[in-house]
């Protein structure tokens, strides 16, 4: 386990997946991240790369060749190199190798840079095209936050506060693919009350979210968190059935649509980088 800490925040990580696995506030002793209980879901905050969500038949085509990838790609299950820059900053890196080239024929470098802030943590995704041809990719976050945060409260004591939305439009998921059918959710004062039933049919998936900050709050407690993100065109909110967490997932990319023809360059939300180009995005958690 790899540790970062400052006077107020403690965070721990695994080199497998470059995954954040604990985020604690020292003064209150509160753990803000999900426990990773494998009875429900054995991950904490995986990276989604080089795809987000599922592929139709788990297959995509590039230059007339078929490739197979599991849902959310392979990076979350790979061992990252570790470069601990300071007591409060760390960079995990993953590069293409013989195994990755069999399923994803691109030369890349993926960096996950974590920096502690005064009251939380910042996570930056850094993608570089290290090859001689165009790089096609999607990327996203999947951090799971503990709900309830405080002992004695329940899941339904909490709500999500959206800073800019008063109505959400969620695309249905059908066999891991994005359906054309949508559902509208009206918010009162920008608030979505949490209940386990919200996620019984899989994640809530948004293509037109206006907010760039979603907070986890409770009227019965002063503790919660702000989750800030920008320039992520898609967003998912999910929990395993009846589990005490909620995932806030900023995405650059999305699962295949039910009508997708499976060509990688035509995939909705796909990004591309020219040779030697670099790209970055960031999300941040502030604990209170």
């Amino acid at each position: 386990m790899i540790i970062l800490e400052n006077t107020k925040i403690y965070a721990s990580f695994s080199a497998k997946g470059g995954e954040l696995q604990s985020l604690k506030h020292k003064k209150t002793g509160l753990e803000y991240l999900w426990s990773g209980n494998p009875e429900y879901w054995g991950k904490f905050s995986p990276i989604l790369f080089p795809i987000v969500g599922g592929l139709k038949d788990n297959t995509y085509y590039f230059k007339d060749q078929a490739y197979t990838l599991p849902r959310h790609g392979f990076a979350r299950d790979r061992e990252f190199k570790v470069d601990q820059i300071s007591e409060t900053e760390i960079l995990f890196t993953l590069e293409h190798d013989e195994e990755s080239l069999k399923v994803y024929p691109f030369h890349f470098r993926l960096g996950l840079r974590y920096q502690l802030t005064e009251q939380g943590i910042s996570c930056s995704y850094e993608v570089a095209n290290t090859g001689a041809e165009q790089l096609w990719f999607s990327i996203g976050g999947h951090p799971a936050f503990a709900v309830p945060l405080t002992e004695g409260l329940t899941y339904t004591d909490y709500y999500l506060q959206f800073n800019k939305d008063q109505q959400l439009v969620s695309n249905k998921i059908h066999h891991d693919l994005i359906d054309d059918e949508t559902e509208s959710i009206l918010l009162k004062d920008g608030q979505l009350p949490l209940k386990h039933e919200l996620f019984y049919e899989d994640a809530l998936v948004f293509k037109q979210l206006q907010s760039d900050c979603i907070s986890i709050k409770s009227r019965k407690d002063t503790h919660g968190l702000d989750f800030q993100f920008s320039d992520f065109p898609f967003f998912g909110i999910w929990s395993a059935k009846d589990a005490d967490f909620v995932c806030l997932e900023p995405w650059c990319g999305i699962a295949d649509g039910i009508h997708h023809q499976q060509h990688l360059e035509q995939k909705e939300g796909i990004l591309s980088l020219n040779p030697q180009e670099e790209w970055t995005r960031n999300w941040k958690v502030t604990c209170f």
Side-chain angles (χ1 to χ4, degrees):
M1 195 62 66
I2 303 151
I3 294 170
L4 295 181
E5 57 184 322
N6 58 23
T7 58
K8 295 181 179 178
I9 298 295
Y10 167 97
S12 66
F13 308 82
S14 171
K16 182 180 179 181
E19 187 179 25
L20 173 66
Q21 296 193 343
S22 177
L23 181 63
K24 293 181 181 179
H25 196 287
K26 289 183 174 181
K27 183 177 180 180
T28 64
L30 289 178
E31 172 62 73
Y32 282 78
L33 221 60
W34 159 244
S35 67
N37 183 348
E39 291 184 17
Y40 294 94
W41 187 59
K43 294 188 181 294
F44 305 82
S45 180
I47 175 70
L48 314 182
F49 180 89
I51 60 169
V52 171
L55 299 172
K56 185 182 287 188
D57 300 323
N58 291 325
T59 301
Y60 70 91
Y61 294 89
F62 183 71
K63 293 186 175 180
D64 297 322
Q65 184 169 340
Y67 297 90
T68 300
L69 280 176
R71 192 181 194 190
H72 296 322
F74 56 75
R76 60 183 180 168
D77 296 315
R78 300 293 298 275
E79 199 78 11
F80 280 64
K81 293 180 181 178
V82 181
D83 180 12
Q84 184 148 2
I85 295 167
S86 70
E87 291 182 353
T88 60
E89 181 177 355
I90 194 165
L91 175 65
F92 294 93
T93 54
L94 179 71
E95 298 189 56
H96 69 276
D97 58 21
E98 290 184 6
E99 290 303 309
S100 72
L101 289 170
K102 293 175 183 177
V103 295
Y104 182 63
F106 300 97
H107 290 218
F108 70 88
R109 184 178 64 251
L110 168 63
L112 307 180
R113 186 183 300 272
Y114 297 95
Q115 297 171 285
L116 295 190
T117 63
E118 186 177 359
Q119 296 289 349
I121 196 166
S122 168
C123 175
S124 297
Y125 300 142
E126 302 172 356
V127 181
N129 181 352
T130 57
E133 298 185 358
Q134 198 166 22
L135 170 69
W136 297 90
F137 72 98
S138 295
I139 192 168
H142 205 306
F145 299 104
V147 178
L149 275 171
T150 302
E151 189 175 349
L153 298 184
T154 66
Y155 200 79
T156 54
D157 290 327
Y158 288 80
Y159 61 91
L160 300 181
Q161 177 72 60
F162 293 78
N163 72 330
K164 295 181 181 179
D165 291 275
Q166 295 300 323
Q167 178 175 322
L168 304 176
V169 178
S170 176
N171 279 77
K172 298 280 191 176
I173 298 177
H174 184 70
H175 297 303
D176 291 343
L177 303 180
I178 304 299
D179 204 322
D180 295 335
E181 183 183 357
T182 61
E183 177 186 7
S184 293
I185 305 171
L186 290 175
L187 305 179
K188 183 179 180 181
D189 299 324
Q191 298 173 6
L192 176 65
L194 283 176
K195 55 183 179 180
H196 291 300
E197 293 82 357
L198 275 174
F199 311 109
Y200 279 1
E201 296 182 9
D202 213 322
L204 303 178
V205 174
F206 308 114
K207 295 184 179 183
Q208 301 170 338
L209 197 68
Q210 301 301 309
S211 295
D212 55 14
C213 180
I214 300 174
S215 303
I216 300 176
K217 294 183 174 182
S218 173
R219 292 183 181 82
K220 296 184 178 181
D221 191 22
T222 58
H223 297 296
L225 64 84
D226 295 329
F227 185 83
Q228 296 170 278
F229 53 97
S230 60
D231 296 322
F232 290 89
F234 308 98
F235 203 93
I237 301 176
W238 176 77
S239 180
K241 187 175 181 181
D242 295 327
D244 284 340
F245 69 83
V246 62
C247 288
L248 302 179
E249 308 180 33
W251 299 336
C252 288
I254 195 169
D256 280 356
I258 58 173
H259 305 299
H260 182 48
Q261 298 302 309
Q262 297 177 268
H263 295 287
L264 186 65
E265 304 100 311
Q266 299 170 13
K267 183 172 172 58
E268 184 175 10
I270 195 78
L271 300 172
S272 67
L273 283 178
N274 292 322
Q276 308 311 309
E277 276 191 339
E278 299 182 356
W279 175 99
T280 187
R281 289 292 185 277
N282 174 271
W283 53 260
K284 183 170 68 172
V285 179
T286 302
C287 306
F288 55 85

